[in-house]
């Protein structure tokens, strides 16, 4: 299947890999037809590869809703988004929909997906973040002209989703990994191990991702390796992660991080790419 260059992330996501695609390309297997991404987030690697078969999962059910609506109802989504205004009062009214469980439950899937896309384009720093109650809590970004309705990209992603065989799910990553067959390449981009006591990239779903969660994920990787399934994993270059994956091939890469609210703390950071193949 020929790749469409318009197929690209529709959301800005914490730890998004769009800027690292060129770095990743030589590290990927030469041929990928079946692909699995259990922490899909913004999907930069998925949209770059555009595999014929993909198992796409994320614990964030709102995110998976966005993707299924793009697949099934892209024109309705576009029309819905055209009604959304880049205004502070409108932003906070839409943001607060999830404070009322009954109101939120009454929304259509198209409305829920449009809300996430709209908030992502207009909130501060494009940062999808929820509080412990699972409520979206990023403030208004006050941008002059955000691209709320990116019709060409939405339609291109819709076309890809409908031309390939894509299996969407929103379950625990281990459930997906347990069903993957040999011959499927797995790319894992979990919430990162914090590089300091105050740094944490886990606000995209309530509950966070602890050291114990990182160990459980490494154990899942060990299982994949025993089953002969190729995997590649991204994480921060902490001593803890280096020790966890010391049995595998580790490549250190430089990534730009621009989500810190303090401008001086943004910049290049070391990340690791872990592989169980040459």
């Amino acid at each position: 299947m020929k790749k469409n260059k318009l197929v690209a992330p529709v959301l800005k996501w914490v730890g998004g890999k769009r800027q690292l695609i060129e770095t990743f390309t030589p590290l990927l297997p030469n041929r990928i037809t079946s692909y699995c991404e259990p922490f899909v987030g913004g999907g930069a690697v998925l949209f770059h590869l555009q595999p014929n078969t993909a198992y796409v999962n994320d614990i964030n059910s709102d995110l998976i809703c966005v993707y299924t609506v793009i697949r099934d109802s892209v024109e309705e989504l576009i029309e819905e988004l055209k009604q959304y205004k880049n205004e502070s009062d409108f932003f906070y009214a839409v943001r607060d929909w999830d404070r009322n469980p009954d109101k939120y439950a009454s929304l259509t899937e198209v409305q829920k997906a449009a809300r996430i896309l709209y908030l992502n384009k207009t909130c501060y720093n494009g940062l999808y973040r929820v509080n412990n109650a699972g409520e979206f809590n990023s403030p208004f970004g006050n941008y002059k002209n955000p691209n709320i309705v990116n019709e060409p990209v939405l339609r291109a992603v819709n076309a890809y989703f409908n031309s390939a065989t894509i299996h969407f799910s929103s379950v625990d990553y281990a459930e997906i990994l347990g069903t993957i067959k040999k011959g499927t390449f797995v790319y894992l981009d979990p919430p990162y191990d914090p590089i300091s006591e105050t740094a944490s990239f886990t606000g995209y779903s309530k509950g966070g991702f602890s050291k114990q969660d990182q160990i459980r994920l490494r154990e899942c990787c060990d299982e994949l390796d025993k089953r002969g399934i190729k995997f590649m994993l991204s994480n921060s270059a902490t001593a803890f992660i280096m020790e966890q994956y010391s049995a595998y091939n580790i490549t250190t890469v430089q990534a730009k991080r621009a989500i810190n609210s303090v401008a001086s703390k943004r910049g290049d950071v070391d990340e690791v790419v872990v592989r169980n193949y040459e």
Side-chain angles (χ1 to χ4, degrees):
M1 191 165 63
K2 191 178 177 185
K3 288 187 190 178
N4 180 348
K5 289 182 180 176
L6 281 173
V7 174
V10 297
L11 291 159
K12 185 177 178 182
W13 210 251
V14 173
K17 292 298 177 288
R18 199 168 188 172
Q19 45 138 339
L20 283 171
I21 291 298
E22 283 188 23
T23 304
F24 280 3
T25 300
L27 301 175
L28 293 163
N30 291 329
R31 181 172 167 77
I32 300 169
T33 53
S34 181
Y35 175 78
C36 173
E37 193 165 351
F39 307 89
V40 71
V45 177
L46 168 71
F47 294 138
H48 170 71
L49 294 172
Q50 295 173 40
N52 296 327
T53 302
Y55 301 87
V56 176
N57 180 75
D58 201 281
I59 198 66
N60 188 318
S61 57
D62 286 334
L63 174 64
I64 295 301
C65 171
V66 170
Y67 291 142
T68 55
V69 166
I70 290 171
R71 179 193 65 193
D72 300 335
S73 310
V74 73
E75 295 305 325
E76 293 95 320
L77 177 63
I78 287 168
E79 290 309 308
E80 177 73 18
L81 279 168
K82 286 178 180 176
Q83 301 173 47
Y84 288 60
K85 305 167 193 167
N86 181 37
E87 297 170 1
S88 177
D89 289 349
F90 188 85
F91 173 90
Y92 286 110
V94 172
R95 194 188 78 165
D96 286 353
W97 286 356
D98 63 6
R99 271 62 171 175
N100 182 334
D102 291 336
K103 176 177 175 57
Y104 193 74
S106 73
L107 298 176
T108 66
E109 295 296 286
V110 169
Q111 288 172 320
K112 289 177 182 176
R115 173 179 176 270
I116 295 299
L117 285 164
Y118 164 72
L119 293 176
N120 188 259
K121 299 291 186 184
T122 54
C123 74
Y124 179 72
N125 235 357
L127 175 59
Y128 186 101
R129 187 186 67 195
V130 297
N131 59 22
N132 287 335
E135 299 165 344
F136 192 95
N137 68 348
S138 294
F140 183 57
N142 210 24
Y143 300 117
K144 252 187 184 169
N145 194 25
N147 191 4
I148 295 170
V149 196
N150 193 339
E151 294 184 49
V153 168
L154 287 171
R155 289 195 177 104
V157 172
N158 163 269
Y160 166 60
F161 284 168
N162 281 285
S163 61
T165 303
I166 313 284
H167 306 272
F168 288 106
S169 59
S170 181
V171 297
D172 181 79
Y173 67 85
E175 194 175 320
I176 296 299
L177 294 179
T179 64
I180 292 302
K181 301 282 193 295
K182 191 172 178 180
T184 296
F185 172 65
V186 179
Y187 172 58
L188 300 137
D189 187 23
Y192 279 17
D193 185 44
I195 55 176
S196 69
E197 289 300 314
T198 56
S200 177
F201 296 159
T202 60
Y204 80 106
S205 66
K206 61 180 179 177
F209 209 79
S210 67
K211 284 275 196 286
Q212 199 54 47
D213 291 318
Q214 297 286 0
I215 292 169
R216 177 174 172 248
L217 175 58
R218 193 263 306 149
E219 290 170 348
C220 283
C221 289
D222 291 345
E223 283 300 312
L224 290 175
D225 191 52
K226 283 179 192 168
R227 287 158 54 202
I229 295 171
K230 289 182 181 178
F231 75 82
M232 183 170 112
L233 173 139
S234 300
N235 214 314
S236 47
T238 63
F240 172 72
I241 293 298
M242 298 287 234
E243 181 187 357
Q244 285 298 310
Y245 292 96
S246 59
Y248 299 105
N249 295 322
I250 298 178
T251 304
T252 303
V253 299
Q254 288 264 296
K256 291 193 186 305
R257 284 288 163 252
I259 63 164
N260 199 302
S261 57
V262 182
S264 62
K265 291 186 179 178
R266 299 174 194 165
D268 289 350
V269 294
D270 282 347
E271 295 188 2
V272 292
V273 176
V274 177
R275 296 175 297 155
N276 68 334
Y277 58 92
E278 293 297 331

